[in-house]
């Protein structure tokens, strides 16, 4: 039987700026989908590449003292190297200066001309070179480009127009009949309302730009760079070439993944071209949001460009992938900050996942000679944990079908957190000291098997970590396939291979600098005001299993109850603290501590003699009162 196919593309990026966090984002997301469907045994074709023609490119090359071809060759290498470093698994890399692409563009053009979709005229209007986009006066924003805000140039030249206007009706009909064609829905609505305003024919050739593909029937024209670029999605598959087998196998694309900035080209112009060629439209144009820094666009000129290579150097490839995939839901804009990156790294990767592997392998090393033990009788709690991985696999599947990798990761983290809780609750160290060998073996086996399953669940998102977990679980031949989540289990007796810690702690640059200067950083009153301190009443308290230091407190904050984990067990007995009023940091990012979520932090003072005192209000006030 023929396997299901999955064809996913990224935009072909302009090669006049190096890969940056935005282009890395799109490429990582596409790679994750490609890996995910490969894991599920789809026949995947994943395409990325470069947009190498156009006025902007020619100008940049000239400014830098290169010929356009020398320049694009040099830049292509930078992209190829970066994608390799990030582990991007594209099946092809299309460059619009390749002969295979240029030939298809010319054939497409010829065909459209012969069928009457192109006609000669004169273009008179404005052009934004950085965006390579034509604008009419009424579209400008105070005389500048409505997209990037930069000055536009006046153009008046002979051109071949493409009859876009003819496609307004068929496009609307198509979009209405295919709700999955543009995703998310907000973008679909944007496209519909744009088409409803009426579509004008668009200029499809230039006479003043030499760095482009010559129009076959009138070579003083070159093909407009966007028209040239869009065709990459079919030229890479050999459309209209001697060998069309890939085109027949993979077209139509399942997903054109793009940023919201280039939605109209993909959801209006490109489908109109395809309709004119009488070939099916892509199944989904998936437009993601934009990363911003301090609310603004990420740009080199503003000096706030984030260097993906630097992040990889400090935190590793998988941390970068994880942050991009998890921090925002696909489709929404995302705010990048070093703090958020650092926080995700430590809480989710180091504390949750890294710790889990380390704890499990440590107990296995200590109590089962570093081997997978033979389980005896599984109890409900063991089955529950193992079964949870299967439920999560189902949810991950759904989340990916709904284009929501952040959600998929959220589900996977539920299992990771459950597993951490399971260790605390089962307390293998107690089973060892009480000599309950059968139970101990069953618990350790359950944890190892859960980790094996987790390695498959994460492998499309964090491919290097998945491999590392399997290696540490003792696999010589890596076993990563979706069906293996439930169909096999970890071999009894397999020698484990505890090695390096996943996601070791990283000091943030700023923290380091402060330390080096050896002085307390000063904060402004505004910064201090960000800390929301409140009075809370302790409702209950108990020791956290297997910890001498931690108490788990349930607290009343007036309108809500929360739990916090506090490192005060050496100083206060649970019964001493119940009923007391304490001060807590209310708006602290929740953190997982020993498998428990701590939803705030209690304030206490410690002196040099090691005495610790909890801060309490001087007289009773209502729980929830603000401290200022
Ligand atoms: O538009 N956040 O190329 P391009 C998220 N050559 N994604 C971002 C981003 C950000 N801040 N900045 C850029 C072109 N991107 C054309 C495409 S396709 C036939 C031709 C990503 O180099 C996002 O995917 O300007 C956006 O759509 C793309 O880079 C634009 O890349």
């Amino acid at each position: 039987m023929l396997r299901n196919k999955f064809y996913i593309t990224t935009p072909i990026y302009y090669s006049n700026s190096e890969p940056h966090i935005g282009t890395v984002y799109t490429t990582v997301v596409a790679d994750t989908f490609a890996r995910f469907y490969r894991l599920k045994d789809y026949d995947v074709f994943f395409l990325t590449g470069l947009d190498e023609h156009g006025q902007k490119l020619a100008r940049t090359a000239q400014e830098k003292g290169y010929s356009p071809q020398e320049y694009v060759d040099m830049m292509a290498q930078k992209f190829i190297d970066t994608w390799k470093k990030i582990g991007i698994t594209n099946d092809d890399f299309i460059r619009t200066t390749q002969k295979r692409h240029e030939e298809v563009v010319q054939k497409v053009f010829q065909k459209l001309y012969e069928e009457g979709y192109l006609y000669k005229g004169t273009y008179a209007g404005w052009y934004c070179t950085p965006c390579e986009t034509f604008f009419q006066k009424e579209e400008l924003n105070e005389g500048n480009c409505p997209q990037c805000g930069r000055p536009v140039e006046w153009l008046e030249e002979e051109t071949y127009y493409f009859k876009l206007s003819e496609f307004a009706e068929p496009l609307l009909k198509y979009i209405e009949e295919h709700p999955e064609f543009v995703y998310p829905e907000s973008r679909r609505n944007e496209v519909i309302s744009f088409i409803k305003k009426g579509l004008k024919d668009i200029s499809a050739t230039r006479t003043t730009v030499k760095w482009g593909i010559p129009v076959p029937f009138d070579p003083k024209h070159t093909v407009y760079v966007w028209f040239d670029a869009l065709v990459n999605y079919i030229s890479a598959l050999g459309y209209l070439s001697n060998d069309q087998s890939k085109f027949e196998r993979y077209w139509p694309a399942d997903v054109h993944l793009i940023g919201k900035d280039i939605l109209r080209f993909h959801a209006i112009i490109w489908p109109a071209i395809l309709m004119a060629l009488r070939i099916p439209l892509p199944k989904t144009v998936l437009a993601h949001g934009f990363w911003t820094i301090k609310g603004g666009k990420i740009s080199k000129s503003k000096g706030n460009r984030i260097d993906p290579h630097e992040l990889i150097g400090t935190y590793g490839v998988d941390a970068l992938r994880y942050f991009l995939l998890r921090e925002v839901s696909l489709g929404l804009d995302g705010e990048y900050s070093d703090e958020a990156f650092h926080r995700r790294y430590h809480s989710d990767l180091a504390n949750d996942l890294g710790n889990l592997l380390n704890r499990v392998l440590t107990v296995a090393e200590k109590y089962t000679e570093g081997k997978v033990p033979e389980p005896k009788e599984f109890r409900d709690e063991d089955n529950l944990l193992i079964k949870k991985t299967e439920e999560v696999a189902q949810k991950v599947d759904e989340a990916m079908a709904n284009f929501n990798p952040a959600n998929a990761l959220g589900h996977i983290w539920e299992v990771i957190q459950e597993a951490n809780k399971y260790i605390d609750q089962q307390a293998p160290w107690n089973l060892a000291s009480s000599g309950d060998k059968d139970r101990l073996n069953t618990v350790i086996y359950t944890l190892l098997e859960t980790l094996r399953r987790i390695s498959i669940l994460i492998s499309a998102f964090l491919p290097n970590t998945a491999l590392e977990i399997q290696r540490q679980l003792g696999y010589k031949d890596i076993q990563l396939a979706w069906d293996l989540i439930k169909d096999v289990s970890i071999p009894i007796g397999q020698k484990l291979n505890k090695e390096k810690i996943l996601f070791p702690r990283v000091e943030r640059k700023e923290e380091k600098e402060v330390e080096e200067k050896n002085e307390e950083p000063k904060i402004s009153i505004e910064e201090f005001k960000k800390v929301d301190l409140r009075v809370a009443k302790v409702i209950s308290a108990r020791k956290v299993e297997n910890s001498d230091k931690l108490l788990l407190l349930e607290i009343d904050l007036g309108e809500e109850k929360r739990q916090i984990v506090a490192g005060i067990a050496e100083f206060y007995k649970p019964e001493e603290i119940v009923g007391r009023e304490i001060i807590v940091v209310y708006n602290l990012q929740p953190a997982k501590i020993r498998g428990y979520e701590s939803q705030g932090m209690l304030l206490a003072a410690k002196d040099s003699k090691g005495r610790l005192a909890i801060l309490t209000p001087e007289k009773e006030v209502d729980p929830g009162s603000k401290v200022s």
Side-chain angles (χ1 to χ4, degrees), residues 73 143 147 292 319 348 351 361 386 452-453 484 487 502 580 606:
D73 288 346
Q147 278 174 22
T292 55
D348 300 10
N351 288 353
L361 292 183
I386 293 181
R452 182 193 71 79
R453 289 165 177 235
L484 301 181
D487 288 351
L502 300 178
R580 285 238 206 152
K606 198 170 187 184

Side-chain angles (χ1 to χ4, degrees), residues 301-368:
S301 54
K302 280 192 203 156
N304 59 6
R305 189 173 162 265
I306 314 148
D307 184 0
H309 295 281
E310 201 178 309
L311 286 171
I312 293 170
T314 312
Y315 295 93
V317 167
D318 280 9
L320 175 64
R321 294 178 67 110
Y322 182 78
F323 177 79
L324 294 175
L325 293 163
R326 179 82 198 261
E327 188 70 4
V328 286
S329 285
L330 199 57
L332 302 180
D333 289 341
E335 169 70 12
Y336 174 88
S337 75
D338 288 341
E339 295 77 32
F341 195 108
H342 197 72
R343 196 168 55 230
R344 281 267 174 220
Y345 178 83
H346 278 112
S347 75
D348 300 10
L349 296 176
N351 288 353
D352 288 345
L353 181 56
N355 231 354
L356 176 65
L357 180 73
N358 189 41
R359 292 172 83 191
V360 174
L361 292 183
T362 303
V363 289
E365 206 167 54
K366 222 163 157 184
Y367 305 125
T368 63

Side-chain angles (χ1 to χ4, degrees), residues 12-14 20 22-23 26 51 226 233 259 261-262 288-291:
I12 46 170
Y13 308 112
Y14 289 127
H20 52 80
T23 45
T26 318
D51 192 350
W226 261 102
Y233 300 129
D261 54 329
I262 53 177
H288 66 64
F290 254 47
W291 286 94

Side-chain angles (χ1 to χ4, degrees), residues 340-406:
F341 195 108
H342 197 72
R343 196 168 55 230
R344 281 267 174 220
Y345 178 83
H346 278 112
S347 75
D348 300 10
L349 296 176
N351 288 353
D352 288 345
L353 181 56
N355 231 354
L356 176 65
L357 180 73
N358 189 41
R359 292 172 83 191
V360 174
L361 292 183
T362 303
V363 289
E365 206 167 54
K366 222 163 157 184
Y367 305 125
T368 63
E369 295 156 8
K371 288 190 188 139
V372 180
E374 186 173 359
K376 276 280 148 9
E377 228 172 283
F378 288 107
R379 291 190 188 160
D380 283 353
E381 52 268 39
D382 314 329
N383 290 329
L384 224 60
L385 182 63
I386 293 181
K387 272 273 170 256
K388 172 115 188 156
T389 59
E390 289 165 32
E391 280 160 32
V392 162
Q394 181 75 31
K395 287 188 190 159
V396 169
D397 235 341
E398 283 161 23
M400 292 303 272
N402 292 324
F403 307 120
N404 198 338

Side-chain angles (χ1 to χ4, degrees), residues 21-38:
I21 201 77
T23 45
V24 165
Y25 177 58
T26 318
T27 314
V28 161
V29 172
D31 181 66
T32 303
F33 279 105
R35 285 178 182 266
F36 181 75
Y37 285 105
R38 277 191 210 112

